[in-house]
């Protein structure tokens, strides 16, 4: 029974942790608490000194709850809270006499009101009010002494700040007594300001009714965003509670008579800010200064610290300066994902700059992209995806069409600039910049005219270490990014009181005692190994095994071994099935395997009754093998006792978040699109989640490289908008939502069996922006979450040390290393270009041969292929005799409305292997080939890796529409006659 009681008390503390930590004075509670070891106490005290009471209180609570616990631990904690003066904190965890939620809400509203009015309350007679509050026992003797000391050392306002911080920790009822004290100590204007009656002879005024005052949407916004509460009025992030009354600007005294919350924040106010001035916090201004002097820099600050706001400020000052000098300015903000275009435009650049400058946004989804050159000409600030700018820079380079030149721009802001590495679109843009920069150096020496280049501003939360295991390699990685961005400095700083890190926990998962469903799948896989004479060397379902299977399939295709190839393809799907039953429900794994088998069987059924597609002996063996086990798999999938423990851990965590918070809003990151959709369905179908108000939906990538139907950009935007508005409060996402997503109210993040590198970890953790956020890892079998997370933590430490070491370099040493990296990058780029040109095989396209990946039948040569936009098509008559058309059910569901999209794909007439899709080009059916479906040879040698057309360095001719159209018209005329 004692154990049950302890668990109940632990849950009670966890449920009220967010409010409890606000009401704990860590140093005093530690003095009274004797169930925590001295070394632990010292660690918590150190945390209080470095990160403040709020974060330290979190560690204190965790220390109290840590097992094994001393007998009587709970009462000892309650007594420590009472004896340290934190009586309201003690009230919050009384199991037999819980705090009334209405009283709690009323008290929170009082605290918010004091926070809003704190700048004006700083002018109180601190010593007099301090004595009166002590007499009425609103504050403890320790509080009184600290307020006196602070007043002596920091003046009247410093003491008032400490007094307000102390008084709001009191038990409910303190507010009316505080009003009484203000009235009795000749603070009539402050008394009236805080809600008292203007007639001092009347009874003490009451706080406006909660029924009449909106708590969450308006009052909360006022507390966070009004200039009176913030060090700098234009920032989004609310300071931590213990520092709410520090560093208030002088202009904040201009308080309106009404206590209505401010709506001046540009993100909240529909009409944008009332003025154009953007003010920064001290740490933001520190990192911005070199950019304000016109230097290229990288700003490296944690997620949620206001990097984008700094970029807006720099943009405005840049344009202001250009205008003052009589020159025009042109700023482009580059992002790497379509949803970020709208986010940066709507939340930051448009609200602050629209009154002074023309701001526009363009993305791949926008019709404006076709007139991008005009958009650049006619606007001062353009937010766009990087690929659009790269496309138009290439146009200007080739001269084929009107494009955009780097010299047209005066400032480029690169968001998530850690992507400026080899192969990325950011790097393509910056390589153009570096080539022109070094060309300018040569032109200047020759006393010739140089071309102007824009200033560069990079933004990132984490440049990462690039897989480095040694400090030297980590430094080299970061220096290469600095070199690619031509950054004169990498700017970072300590956020001090504004630093906010979510609570982190790892939910480890025990292996199933029994896993008959998984064992049966493994038995099927072993039967296939025997049939194909394959001998795997790693655990079935592991990542190593998947890599082994993919390699076997690729080798078998090039060696024209259809037996091993088709077995390897099936093994890959069974491996995915194992992963799914370890991640989501067994029935989801079974549905996946069933759909795959049915799709494979469909390939063997021709729409033409006279045509027979061969089913090989191996294919029949594989079909029969699954059919023979399908019934047993179905029976096992319906037994909940065999479900994976990961799912139950996730269920407990999500339910805890939604029952312990007033307004929970979170993101679950998972590995695959299929698991994201399945988890979303699982939550929507479970009534327990609905009972606690969970409204879940998934968001996955828009790319079409997966067998799972992708989300369109419009669908992604719709879901993210609903999440921001609260219509959806739990997002299940793949890594598409890791970077840049800015949801201020998101207060918990769960990574479900997904850990990649240190950059992704920082980005995912940073999605939790709200106060008291949590970050949880839920282990999944074969995911290695705990080990990878440990490695990533080490890499983050290495990254921070590397950045600090780079920042201590002498400027001449830094410049020399940057120049060396840039020269190397340019030379390597030239070598790659030369190699690419050599590999284009332009004169020998007839020797490039394509054969069916499944049955090895010769299909065509490079001479038969032409280009329609980015598609490789074969319109030869002989080729049309080799394939059949099938309906693409995925595209049917999407209701094809593109001018080039049809609902058909093409497949081998002999074996049913998919070759590509049918596209419609200006009234002509054009079979479009997907190279991954073929084995490619050149001069008789097979190319072992050819999964995309970029792997095949051939420039195919453009489709001759007139020639082919004339031929088609001639045939139709003959038929008409």
């Amino acid at each position: 029974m004692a154990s049950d009681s302890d668990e109940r008390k632990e849950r009670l503390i966890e449920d009220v942790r967010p409010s409890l930590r606000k009401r704990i004075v860590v140093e005093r509670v530690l003095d009274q608490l004797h169930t925590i070891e001295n070394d632990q106490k010292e660690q918590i005290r150190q945390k209080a000194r470095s990160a403040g009471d709020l974060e330290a209180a979190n560690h204190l609570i965790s220390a109290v709850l840590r097992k094994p616990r001393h007998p009587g631990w709970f009462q000892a904690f309650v007594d420590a809270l009472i004896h340290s003066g934190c009586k309201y904190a003690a009230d919050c965890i009384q199991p037999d006499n819980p705090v009334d939620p209405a009283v709690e809400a009323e008290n929170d509203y009082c605290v918010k009101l004091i926070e809003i009015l704190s700048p004006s309350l700083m002018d109180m007679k601190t010593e007099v009010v301090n004595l009166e509050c002590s007499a009425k026992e609103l504050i403890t003797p320790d509080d009184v002494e600290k307020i006196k000391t602070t007043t002596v050392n920091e003046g009247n306002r410093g003491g008032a700040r400490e007094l307000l911080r102390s008084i709001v920790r009191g038990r409910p009822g303190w507010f009316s007594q505080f009003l009484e004290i203000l009235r009795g100590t000749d603070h009539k204007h402050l008394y009236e300001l805080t809600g008292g009656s203007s007639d001092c002879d009347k009874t003490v005024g009451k706080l406006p009714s909660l029924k009449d005052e909106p708590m969450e949407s308006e009052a909360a916004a006022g507390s966070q965003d009004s200039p009176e509460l913030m060090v700098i009025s234009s920032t989004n992030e609310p300071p931590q509670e213990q520092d709410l009354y520090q560093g208030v600007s002088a202009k904040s005294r201009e308080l309106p008579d009404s206590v209505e919350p401010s709506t001046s924040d540009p993100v909240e106010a529909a009409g944008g800010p009332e003025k154009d001035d953007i003010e920064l916090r001290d740490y933001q201004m520190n990192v911005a200064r070199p950019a304000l002097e016109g230097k290229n820099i990288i700003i490296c600050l944690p997620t949620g610290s206001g990097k984008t706001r700094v970029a807006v400020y720099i943009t405005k000052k840049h344009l202001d300066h250009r205008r003052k000098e009589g020159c025009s300015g042109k700023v482009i903000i580059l992002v790497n994902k379509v949803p970020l275009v709208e986010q940066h435009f709507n939340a930051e650049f448009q609200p602050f700059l629209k009154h002074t400058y023309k701001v526009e946004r363009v993305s791949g989804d926008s019709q404006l992209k076709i007139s991008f050159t005009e958009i650049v000409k006619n606007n001062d600030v353009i937010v766009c995806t990087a690929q659009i700018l790269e496309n138009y820079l290439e146009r200007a380079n080739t001269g084929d069409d009107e494009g955009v030149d780097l010299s047209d721009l005066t400032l480029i802001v690169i968001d998530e600039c850690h992507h400026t590495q080899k192969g990325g679109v950011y790097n393509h843009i910056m390589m153009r910049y570096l080539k022109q920069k070094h060309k300018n150096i040569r032109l200047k020496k020759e006393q010739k005219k140089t071309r102007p280049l824009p200033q560069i501003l990079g933004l990132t939360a984490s440049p990462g270490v690039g897989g480095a295991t040694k400090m030297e390699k980590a430094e080299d990685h970061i220096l290469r990014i600095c070199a690619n961005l031509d950054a004169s400095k990498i700017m970072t700083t300590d956020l001090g009181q504004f630093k906010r890190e979510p609570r982190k926990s790892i939910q480890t998962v025990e292996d199933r005692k029994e896993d008959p469903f998984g064992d049966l799948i493994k038995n099927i896989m072993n039967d296939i190994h025997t049939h194909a004479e394959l001998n795997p060397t790693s655990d079935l379902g592991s990542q190593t095994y998947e890599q082994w299977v993919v390699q076997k399939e690729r080798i078998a295709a090039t060696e024209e071994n259809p037996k091993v190839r088709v077995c390897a393809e099936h093994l890959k799907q069974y491996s995915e099935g194992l992963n799914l039953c370890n991640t989501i429900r067994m029935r989801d794994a079974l549905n996946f395997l069933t759909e795959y088998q049915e799709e494979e069987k469909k390939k063997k059924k021709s729409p033409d009754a006279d045509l027979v597609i061969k089913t090989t002996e191996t294919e029949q063996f594989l079909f029969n093998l699954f059919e023979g086990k399908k019934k047993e798999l179905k029976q096992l999938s319906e037994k909940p006792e065999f479900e994976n423990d990961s799912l139950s851990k996730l269920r407990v965590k999500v339910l805890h978040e939604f029952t312990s918070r007033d307004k929970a809003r979170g993101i679950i990151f998972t590995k695959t699109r299929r698991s994201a959709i399945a988890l979303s369905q699982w939550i929507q179908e479970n009534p327990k989640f609905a009972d606690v108000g969970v409204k879940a939906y998934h968001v996955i990538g828009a790319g079409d490289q997966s067998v799972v139907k992708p989300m369109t950009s419009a669908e992604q935007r719709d879901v993210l908008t609903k999440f921001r508005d609260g219509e959806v409060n739990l997002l299940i996402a793949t890594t598409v939502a890791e970077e840049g997503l800015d949801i201020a109210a998101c207060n918990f993040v769960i990574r479900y069996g997904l850990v990649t590198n240190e950059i992704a970890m920082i980005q995912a953790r940073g999605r939790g922006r709200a106060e008291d956020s949590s970050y949880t890892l839920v282990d999944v079998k074969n995911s290695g979450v705990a080990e990878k997370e440990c490695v990533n933590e080490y890499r983050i430490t290495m990254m921070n040390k590397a950045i600090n070491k780079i920042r201590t370099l002498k400027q001449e040493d830094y410049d020399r290393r940057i120049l060396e990296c840039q020269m190397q990058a340019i030379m390597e780029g030239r070598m790659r270009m030369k190699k690419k040109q050599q590999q284009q095989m332009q004169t020998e396209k007839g020797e490039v041969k394509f054969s069916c990946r499944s049955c090895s039948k010769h299909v065509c040569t490079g001479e038969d292929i032409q280009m329609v936009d980015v598609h490789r098509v074969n319109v030869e008559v002989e080729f049309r005799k080799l394939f059949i058309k099938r309906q693409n059910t995925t595209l049917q569901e999407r209701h094809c409305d593109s001018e080039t999209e049809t609902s058909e794909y093409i497949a081998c007439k002999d074996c049913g292997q998919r070759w590509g899709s049918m596209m419609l080009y200006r009234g002509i059916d054009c079979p479009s080939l997907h190279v991954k479906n073929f084995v490619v040879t050149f001069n008789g040698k097979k190319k072992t890796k050819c999964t995309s057309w970029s792997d095949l360095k051939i420039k195919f001719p453009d489709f001759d529409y007139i020639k082919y159209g004339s031929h088609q018209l001639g045939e139709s005329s003959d038929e008409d006659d």
Side-chain angles (χ1 to χ4, degrees):
M1 292 298 292
S3 176
D4 291 342
S5 176
D6 278 359
E7 292 300 322
R8 193 162 59 251
K9 289 168 181 173
E10 180 183 347
R11 284 197 301 273
L12 173 63
I13 292 174
E14 283 289 4
D15 288 344
V16 299
R17 183 193 282 254
S19 57
L20 185 62
R21 64 200 286 254
K22 298 175 186 177
R23 298 184 169 92
I24 290 179
V25 183
V26 172
E27 191 70 38
R28 298 179 199 168
V29 174
L30 287 174
D31 290 340
Q32 299 291 334
L33 194 58
H34 306 298
T35 57
I36 300 179
E37 299 296 329
N38 287 334
D39 58 341
Q40 267 191 315
K41 286 186 179 182
E42 187 53 39
Q43 289 175 7
I44 296 169
R45 286 191 173 99
Q46 182 60 38
K47 195 69 177 178
R49 288 190 286 270
S50 63
D53 252 23
L54 199 66
E55 188 62 31
N58 203 38
H59 286 260
L60 190 154
I61 295 168
S62 297
V64 168
L65 294 176
R66 192 170 293 126
K67 297 177 182 177
R69 293 187 282 256
H70 296 280
W73 65 274
F74 181 78
Q75 190 57 49
F77 184 40
V78 173
D79 292 343
L81 292 174
I82 293 171
H83 295 146
S84 61
C86 304
K87 294 179 180 178
Y88 191 33
D91 293 344
C92 291
I93 58 172
Q94 292 297 335
D96 300 324
N97 188 26
V99 175
D100 185 338
V103 174
E104 173 87 352
E106 187 82 24
N107 186 72
D108 287 345
Y109 189 75
C110 296
V111 174
K112 290 291 184 186
L113 188 59
I114 291 297
E115 290 173 358
I116 292 171
L117 302 175
S118 60
S120 296
L121 293 172
M122 299 293 177
D123 294 327
M124 72 173 77
K125 301 170 186 174
T126 305
E127 292 184 9
V128 176
V129 176
N130 186 26
L131 291 174
E132 290 297 321
C133 290
S134 174
K136 289 187 177 290
E137 297 184 352
L138 294 183
I139 52 179
T140 67
D142 285 342
D143 290 329
V144 174
E145 290 305 314
K146 188 170 183 180
I147 293 164
K148 286 181 180 178
T149 303
T150 305
T151 304
V152 171
N153 294 334
E154 300 179 19
N156 185 76
R157 291 174 65 80
R161 190 178 296 116
E162 186 62 45
L163 190 153
L164 292 174
R165 193 181 295 119
S166 302
I167 202 169
V168 297
R169 288 194 295 259
R171 281 173 165 159
W174 59 267
F175 184 77
S176 58
Q177 294 184 67
F178 182 55
L179 286 184
E180 185 83 46
I181 290 170
L182 290 178
R183 188 182 69 166
T185 53
D186 298 327
H187 292 86
K188 180 181 177 182
H189 66 294
L190 297 181
Y191 165 73
E192 293 174 0
L193 192 64
T194 47
S197 168
S198 59
D199 185 354
C200 288
D201 295 328
K202 295 181 181 179
T203 57
V204 175
K206 293 183 179 180
L207 191 70
S209 169
L210 287 174
K211 295 178 181 178
D212 302 325
E213 293 292 330
M215 274 288 293
E216 295 298 333
S217 60
E218 295 181 7
S223 68
Q224 291 184 11
D225 301 315
S226 64
E228 291 74 30
L229 278 184
M230 308 181 72
V231 177
I232 306 294
S233 64
S234 64
T235 52
N236 274 337
E237 305 86 353
Q240 292 178 309
E241 275 83 349
Q242 68 267 29
D243 296 308
L244 274 171
Y245 311 114
Q246 293 182 358
V248 184
S249 60
K251 70 173 80 173
S252 65
R253 300 185 193 183
E254 300 169 6
L255 189 74
D257 293 336
S258 168
V259 296
E260 287 293 319
S262 166
T263 56
S264 63
D265 185 70
V267 180
E268 302 295 336
E274 296 177 0
K275 56 182 181 180
D276 296 334
D277 291 339
I278 309 164
E279 300 179 24
L280 301 182
R281 290 173 174 163
D282 289 343
Y283 73 83
Q284 293 171 320
M285 184 59 78
N286 287 338
V287 297
R289 280 197 179 93
L292 298 174
E293 297 168 4
K295 295 177 181 177
N296 295 353
I297 64 167
I298 296 172
I299 293 178
C300 180
L301 289 176
T303 53
S305 58
K307 292 185 296 295
T308 311
R309 183 62 54 83
V310 177
V312 177
Y313 181 87
I314 292 170
T315 296
K316 185 172 188 305
K317 292 300 180 183
H318 171 85
L319 292 171
D320 288 347
H321 177 73
R322 299 277 304 181
R323 181 175 285 181
K324 187 177 180 181
E325 295 292 318
C327 309
S328 63
K330 194 74 62 179
V331 182
I332 280 195
I333 294 86
L334 299 180
V335 299
N336 62 332
K337 292 179 182 176
V338 172
L340 298 183
V341 174
E342 293 296 327
Q343 177 174 293
H344 285 347
F345 177 80
N346 291 323
E348 295 288 348
F349 288 91
Q350 167 76 347
F352 278 106
L353 302 177
K354 68 180 181 181
H355 301 301
T356 316
Y357 298 101
K358 293 180 180 179
V359 188
E360 189 53 89
R361 82 290 207 186
V362 187
S363 70
D365 282 358
S366 170
Q367 296 297 320
L368 293 175
K369 67 181 179 180
I370 63 172
S371 57
F372 186 69
T373 306
E374 291 302 312
I375 295 295
V376 172
K377 286 179 182 177
N378 298 329
N379 290 277
D380 304 299
V381 181
I382 303 96
V383 185
C384 69
T385 46
Q387 190 61 56
I388 288 177
L389 177 62
E390 168 62 11
N391 292 345
Y392 277 80
L393 289 173
E394 179 61 22
R395 284 192 185 189
N397 183 50
T398 59
D400 294 339
D401 204 345
E402 190 177 13
V404 173
D405 196 275
L406 284 173
S407 59
D408 298 331
L409 313 175
T410 58
L411 171 63
I412 299 178
V413 180
I414 302 181
D415 190 39
E416 310 294 357
C417 69
H418 51 267
H419 290 299
T420 314
Q421 299 187 58
K422 287 180 182 177
V425 64
Y426 283 166
N427 205 48
H428 292 164
I429 294 169
M430 286 309 301
M431 283 305 297
R432 296 178 187 277
Y433 178 99
L434 293 179
K435 288 176 182 177
Q436 186 59 52
K437 173 192 171 183
H438 289 277
K439 185 178 180 180
N440 281 350
I441 294 172
R442 177 173 55 82
L443 291 171
K444 193 171 183 181
K445 287 180 181 178
E446 297 171 356
Q447 296 184 336
K448 294 179 180 178
K449 186 178 180 181
T450 60
R451 300 190 72 180
L453 285 171
Q455 181 184 351
I456 305 295
L457 172 63
L459 307 176
T460 183
S462 51
V465 296
T469 56
K470 295 181 179 179
M471 182 64 68
E472 182 183 359
K473 295 294 184 183
E475 287 178 50
D476 288 342
H477 170 78
I478 295 170
L479 279 169
R480 279 196 298 272
I481 293 176
C482 293
N484 290 341
L485 289 157
D486 196 39
S488 64
K489 291 182 179 181
I490 179 168
M491 300 298 297
T492 186
T493 187
D494 182 12
L495 268 60
Q497 68 198 58
F498 300 106
K499 186 176 181 180
R500 181 184 300 147
E501 288 188 1
R503 287 181 284 112
K504 180 178 175 180
S505 63
I506 298 179
Q507 301 283 334
T508 55
V509 176
E510 301 294 331
D511 271 346
R512 292 168 165 145
K513 294 178 182 178
E514 291 183 88
D515 184 16
F517 184 90
D519 291 340
L520 188 52
I521 291 178
K522 289 178 182 178
N523 290 339
I524 296 173
M525 295 170 77
N526 285 326
D527 288 343
I528 299 174
H529 294 147
T530 303
H531 179 82
E533 299 179 2
L534 294 171
N535 298 299
T537 56
S538 52
D539 292 338
L540 305 189
S542 66
Q543 190 171 352
T544 308
Y545 177 83
E546 287 183 21
Q547 292 168 349
W548 175 81
V549 167
V550 169
Q551 186 182 25
K552 287 294 180 185
E553 192 276 336
R554 186 178 296 144
I555 293 171
T558 56
E559 292 179 351
E560 298 182 10
N561 186 340
K563 179 179 178 180
V564 173
R565 192 205 67 79
V566 72
C567 284
E569 182 61 39
H570 279 248
L571 285 170
K572 186 166 64 174
Q573 306 307 319
Y574 281 114
S575 182
E576 175 66 11
L578 273 180
N579 287 325
L580 288 174
C581 77
N582 288 329
T583 307
I584 46 182
R585 296 170 294 188
M586 293 181 289
R587 80 181 200 194
D588 295 312
L590 178 58
N591 289 341
F592 162 71
L593 292 173
T594 303
E595 286 172 13
Y596 172 73
Q597 293 289 330
E598 290 175 352
E599 193 61 36
E600 288 300 298
K601 287 178 183 178
K602 271 186 191 176
K603 292 179 181 178
K604 303 300 173 183
K605 294 179 182 177
S606 171
D608 185 352
D610 297 330
L611 184 66
V612 177
I613 297 177
K614 301 172 189 174
T615 300
T616 66
E617 183 180 336
T618 295
E619 288 170 335
Q620 195 59 55
F621 162 78
L622 293 168
F623 293 150
N624 292 340
L625 184 59
F626 180 75
E627 282 300 320
K629 305 291 185 182
K630 184 177 176 182
K631 184 177 179 181
E632 189 178 352
L633 285 170
K634 189 173 190 310
Q635 290 171 345
L636 290 171
S637 71
E638 293 169 351
K639 296 183 177 182
E641 63 268 26
F642 297 137
E643 288 290 6
N644 68 76
D645 191 36
S646 305
L647 212 53
S648 62
K649 292 279 187 184
L650 181 63
R651 180 192 296 112
V652 170
K653 182 61 185 173
V654 172
L655 290 174
H656 170 74
E657 293 290 348
F658 275 88
T659 53
S660 63
R661 299 179 184 273
D662 291 335
K663 280 196 173 181
R665 194 177 303 179
I667 304 176
I668 299 173
F669 288 106
T670 186
K671 187 176 180 181
T672 65
R673 295 178 178 186
R674 195 177 297 278
S675 61
I677 295 169
L679 284 173
S680 178
Q681 291 172 344
W682 169 66
I683 291 171
Q684 290 168 3
E685 292 169 6
N686 193 320
K688 288 186 178 179
F689 291 114
D691 290 343
V692 296
V694 179
K695 294 171 286 187
Y697 206 78
H698 63 272
V699 60
I700 60 176
D704 202 11
Q705 72 276 18
S706 169
V707 293
V708 179
K709 177 188 172 184
M711 261 187 164
T712 65
S713 298
E715 288 171 333
Q716 287 178 345
R717 279 199 305 272
D718 182 55
V719 175
L720 293 177
T721 299
K722 288 179 179 177
F723 185 57
R724 285 191 182 91
D725 297 341
E727 192 174 335
V728 170
N729 56 21
L730 181 60
L731 204 61
I732 300 93
T734 54
T735 53
V736 70
E738 271 183 346
E739 286 192 355
L741 187 65
D742 186 8
I743 311 294
C746 181
N747 47 30
F748 72 90
V749 173
I750 300 172
R751 298 196 91 188
Y752 186 59
L754 172 67
V755 173
T756 48
N757 59 26
E758 70 282 3
I759 295 175
M761 187 182 84
I762 290 172
Q763 293 289 347
R765 193 163 59 188
R767 296 316 106 212
R769 301 288 178 88
E771 180 63 34
D772 191 35
S773 295
S774 68
Y775 171 73
T776 306
L777 289 157
V778 178
D779 204 353
V780 169
K781 188 176 180 182
N782 291 327
S783 69
V785 159
E787 294 83 355
K788 291 178 183 176
E789 190 75 3
C790 183
V791 170
N792 286 338
E793 290 286 4
Y794 174 75
R795 284 174 172 165
I796 291 172
T797 302
M798 184 191 292
M799 179 189 76
N800 291 331
K801 287 181 179 178
I803 291 173
N804 290 333
K805 195 170 179 182
I806 289 169
R807 284 174 54 77
T808 59
L809 287 173
K810 291 181 179 179
Q811 192 64 43
E812 56 266 32
D813 292 336
Y814 173 88
D815 292 342
R816 178 182 55 78
R817 294 184 68 175
I818 290 297
L819 181 60
E820 185 179 327
C821 289
Q822 289 179 349
M823 296 302 294
Q824 182 181 343
I826 292 172
M827 295 305 294
E828 287 177 350
R830 286 179 180 173
M831 288 300 296
R832 283 195 300 271
M833 183 61 69
K834 186 176 180 180
K835 189 176 180 181
K836 183 178 178 181
Q837 290 169 347
Q838 290 172 347
Q839 292 176 342
Q840 285 190 335
M841 316 173 197
Q842 292 302 108
T843 59
E844 299 181 66
K845 286 200 293 289
E847 294 302 314
V848 181
K849 297 179 180 178
F850 300 82
S851 56
C852 177
R853 193 172 189 83
S854 180
C855 66
S856 304
K857 177 177 66 178
H858 174 73
V859 175
C860 64
T861 72
E863 294 285 0
D864 303 322
I865 297 174
Q866 301 178 62
M867 296 289 296
V868 173
D869 195 10
V870 296
H871 304 280
R872 277 76 173 177
V873 302
N874 186 345
V875 295
E876 298 298 321
V877 175
E878 292 302 315
F879 175 71
R880 290 182 180 272
K881 297 175 182 178
L882 303 179
F883 66 80
I884 55 176
K885 300 178 186 178
R886 292 186 178 279
Q887 290 296 313
N888 189 331
T889 54
T890 300
L891 291 177
Q892 282 180 324
E893 291 171 4
R894 283 169 55 183
H895 304 297
C896 306
D897 53 3
S898 168
E899 291 182 1
T900 62
E901 199 172 49
T902 72
S903 61
E904 294 179 321
Y905 69 87
I906 60 173
C908 177
K909 187 177 286 189
D910 289 349
C911 68
Q913 168 70 39
R914 184 168 178 167
W915 287 352
S917 57
M918 286 299 296
M919 63 178 288
L920 187 66
Y921 178 63
R922 297 166 68 182
I924 295 175
D925 278 335
C926 297
S928 174
L929 308 185
H930 299 175
V931 72
K932 65 182 179 181
N933 297 320
F934 301 93
V935 174
V936 184
T937 60
F938 178 59
N939 287 332
K941 294 182 180 179
K942 292 170 182 172
K943 295 185 68 65
T944 55
K945 184 183 178 184
C946 199
T947 57
S948 69
W949 285 108
S950 61
D951 295 328
L952 195 61
K953 309 300 181 182
I954 300 179
K955 187 176 181 180
F956 296 106
D958 291 333
F959 175 59
D960 192 337
Y961 181 84
I962 295 176
K963 178 181 176 182
Y964 190 80
S966 299
H967 178 69
Q968 291 288 91
L969 286 173
E971 287 187 347
S972 61
S973 298
D974 292 340
E975 290 171 6
D976 293 339
D977 294 337

